[in-house]
Amino acid sequence: MADPSSYRPKPGQIPDSPGVYRFRDEHGRVIYVGKAKSLRQRLSSYFQDLAGLHQRTRTMVTTAASVEWTVVATEVEALQLEYTWIKQYDPRFNVKYRDDKSYPSLAVTLSEEYPRVQVMRGPKRKGVRYFGPYAHAWAIRETVDLMLRAFPVRTCSAGVFKRSAQIGRPCLLGYIGKCSAPCVGRVTAAEHRELAEEFCDFMAGRTGAYLKRLERQMHEAAEEMEYEKAARLRDDIGALRSAMEKNAVVLADATDADLIALAEDELEAAVQIFHVRGGRVRGQRGWVTDRVEAVDTAGLVEHALQQLYGDEQAEAIPREVLVPALPRPAGPVREWLAERRGARVDLRVPQRGDKKDLLATVARNAQQALALHKTKRASDLTTRSRALEEIAEALELDSAPLRIECYDISHLQGDDVVGSMVVFEDGLARKSEYRRFEIKGFTGQDDVRAMHEVITRRFRRYVQEKQKTGEWGDPEAEAAAERGRAGAAGATAGADAAAEVPAGRDPDTGRPRKFAYPPQLVVVDGGQPQVAAAKRALGELGVDDVAVVGLAKRLEEVWLPDSDDPVILPRSSEGLYMLQRVRDEAHRFAIAYQRKKRAKSMKAGPLDDVPGLGESRRRALLRHFGSVKRLRAATIDQICEVPGIGRKTAENIAATLAQAAPAAPAVNTATGEIMDE
């Protein structure tokens, strides 16, 4: 681990101007590329006290061994150079893209003498016009099949085209009218190129003028009694309308725009893009980004724009780009997009209307993509096994933790304090083993004390279960077990059968006992204080064979008992991902229980204090009398008339309501009228 002060530039060396900088490791490899409006201010921020740096930034500067920079004239040039160097060096600490190169696009090879329409994958090629990308190749082929009737452009390969030219006979598409057959000279190269350009214009969204022209030609042909030509034009119009209907109108003003949305967590972010042309969604793409560097939503948007438009041609950049957050600053990015497009680009966050609603739809797609990515990652057996092995290696455990329990505390400003326990076995959630705890030992806000109580209560039950079976080293339990063995000679066959029940299961029912199985690893949501409390609770109960760690959410640090420094798992580690998933599940489970308790307490009324009165009979009372006010005014005999209410219960109800102070009357704030309960 390098000391950043060993390669820190001397004061005055760094220029106060825009530029791009590179950090290199001891082997000379570029590990991070960044840009800055002021190189002096930005680079100075990396050489402050390490404790003040983000964990990812701290790891980067301690891995680096040198820093260098290049001065440029403007921030736009810095943006362009940063993108070029990221592509060239693929630095390990920059945002990583797992792009969707396998997504197919509809391509027109305008660079060829006879342009060809085809499905293309992979990186963009020069001289090719792209539309899409699409989710499936068959969707492209269906669209092309419909449009070839109106735009009979060549779709065959170079080999087929050459062969047809040699034999002087077109392929089948030429015979059925879905190819203009330039291979045999039915149209010239210029006429065929014009067809291809019209095809591109139509796919780019300029559909209205072309359809009107075809309709005019159809009417003219009908007036001149050229009915076959009119029928052919009618069928062409129908085919084009069918192709257009495959993409529903999402923006009524025929907008050309790209909408970009994100779904992110601590380690990853999913990016989704909808390509809208002529008000219709013409394509969709997405990828998952590794959040290697400390970057917020605005930074992720900037990286996404670089990835999306860095290698695109001018016609692929729309007039409008809608994003969830603007890069900081947004001016250089707008200028960079305008330079690449050759015209102004409106980069903004939609505030209202259809565009805001459509961006919310894109965001939902991003959430689904991130969830699907995590589900695939979590469900893979090999990945889970590797994650457990990484955890065991990082924490120096004797074996992989096949059963992991995680605990979290939740409350609302010290009220309704609850704890949760979730269980993962073989890397998968075991929801039947989840448990909830209501903190009873104290009142108020003290997460450390609450964690101690939850761990104590859980493992006290475990110890008690072991003492019942004689598996725990307790003198009384051992003596009882010895007496049981002494009288085993006269035991019945049924007792022998019960003795064969596996440990941890009830001998009468055969069902697993609650808290009977110990985990190999206990994870607590928190840092050193929570870990120390959990370890102390286990020590007080004599449990010394269960490992304890804490996962601090802010920096994803793994804390061990009696350790001054955390264990830092690599951010790409499957082990860290599993610990994070376990922690997040415990947090979710705790919050759900705490909200349920809070909602219940908010609905509490005077009838809740009546001993022996359950929910069903409370509802029956309120249905019968209509309100608590009328019930309070009723006599005991009147209360006894309610089905299920006996005299003793009626007396308890009357006494409880008499002691409870009546609630203040409700007032209609609009009219000032006093309302009945």
Side-chain angles (χ1 to χ4, degrees), residues 96-100 103 269-273 285-289 303-305 307-308 369:
K96 300 290 183 183
Y97 295 103
R98 293 195 286 273
D99 202 355
D100 52 352
Y103 274 58
V271 182
Q272 282 287 310
I273 301 100
R285 69 185 298 189
W287 62 77
V288 177
T289 300
H303 286 298
L305 292 171
Q307 172 76 0
L308 187 59

Side-chain angles (χ1 to χ4, degrees), residues 448-449 452 455-456 529-541:
V448 175
R449 190 175 174 186
H452 181 275
I455 298 293
T456 299
Q530 286 82 1
V531 174
K535 188 65 177 179
R536 188 172 68 253
L538 292 174
E540 292 169 356
L541 294 170

Side-chain angles (χ1 to χ4, degrees), residues 33 39 61 106 121 139 150 189 222 276 369 413 417 426 456 485 511 649:
V33 175
L39 285 170
V61 297
L106 173 59
R121 300 176 185 265
V276 178
Q413 298 179 347
V417 185
D426 296 329
T456 299
R485 284 192 293 271
R511 294 179 179 176
T649 303

Side-chain angles (χ1 to χ4, degrees), residues 595-617:
R595 286 175 177 169
K596 183 178 179 180
K597 280 182 60 65
R598 187 166 76 245
K600 186 176 180 181
S601 63
M602 292 174 66
K603 295 178 182 177
L607 290 177
D608 294 336
D609 298 329
V610 179
L613 188 66
E615 180 66 27
S616 298
R617 292 198 290 177

Side-chain angles (χ1 to χ4, degrees), residues 52-108:
L53 295 176
H54 191 281
Q55 173 61 38
R56 299 185 181 104
T57 307
R58 185 162 65 242
T59 305
M60 187 273 291
V61 297
T62 53
T63 304
S66 64
V67 62
E68 58 193 37
W69 56 85
T70 299
V71 176
V72 296
T74 64
E75 292 182 68
V76 178
E77 290 184 21
L79 190 70
Q80 293 171 334
L81 185 57
E82 180 197 33
Y83 174 74
T84 302
W85 279 353
I86 289 176
K87 283 287 188 182
Q88 178 180 349
Y89 296 113
D90 190 23
R92 56 178 290 200
F93 285 101
N94 279 93
V95 165
K96 300 290 183 183
Y97 295 103
R98 293 195 286 273
D99 202 355
D100 52 352
K101 296 300 184 186
S102 63
Y103 274 58
S105 296
L106 173 59
V108 184

Side-chain angles (χ1 to χ4, degrees), residues 382-392 401 573-576 578:
T382 304
T383 303
R384 296 202 313 270
S385 300
R386 184 167 67 250
L388 294 175
E389 290 173 1
E390 288 180 2
I391 292 172
S573 164
E574 293 295 339
L576 176 60
M578 178 168 288

Side-chain angles (χ1 to χ4, degrees), residues 330-346:
V333 180
R334 287 195 179 98
E335 291 181 33
W336 176 70
L337 289 173
E339 284 185 6
R340 297 202 62 81
R341 182 173 183 264
R344 181 174 177 271
V345 176
D346 187 10

Side-chain angles (χ1 to χ4, degrees), residues 340-357:
R340 297 202 62 81
R341 182 173 183 264
R344 181 174 177 271
V345 176
D346 187 10
L347 176 66
R348 64 187 180 89
V349 179
Q351 301 297 327
R352 63 183 66 84
D354 294 340
K355 294 177 181 178
K356 182 181 178 182
D357 295 340

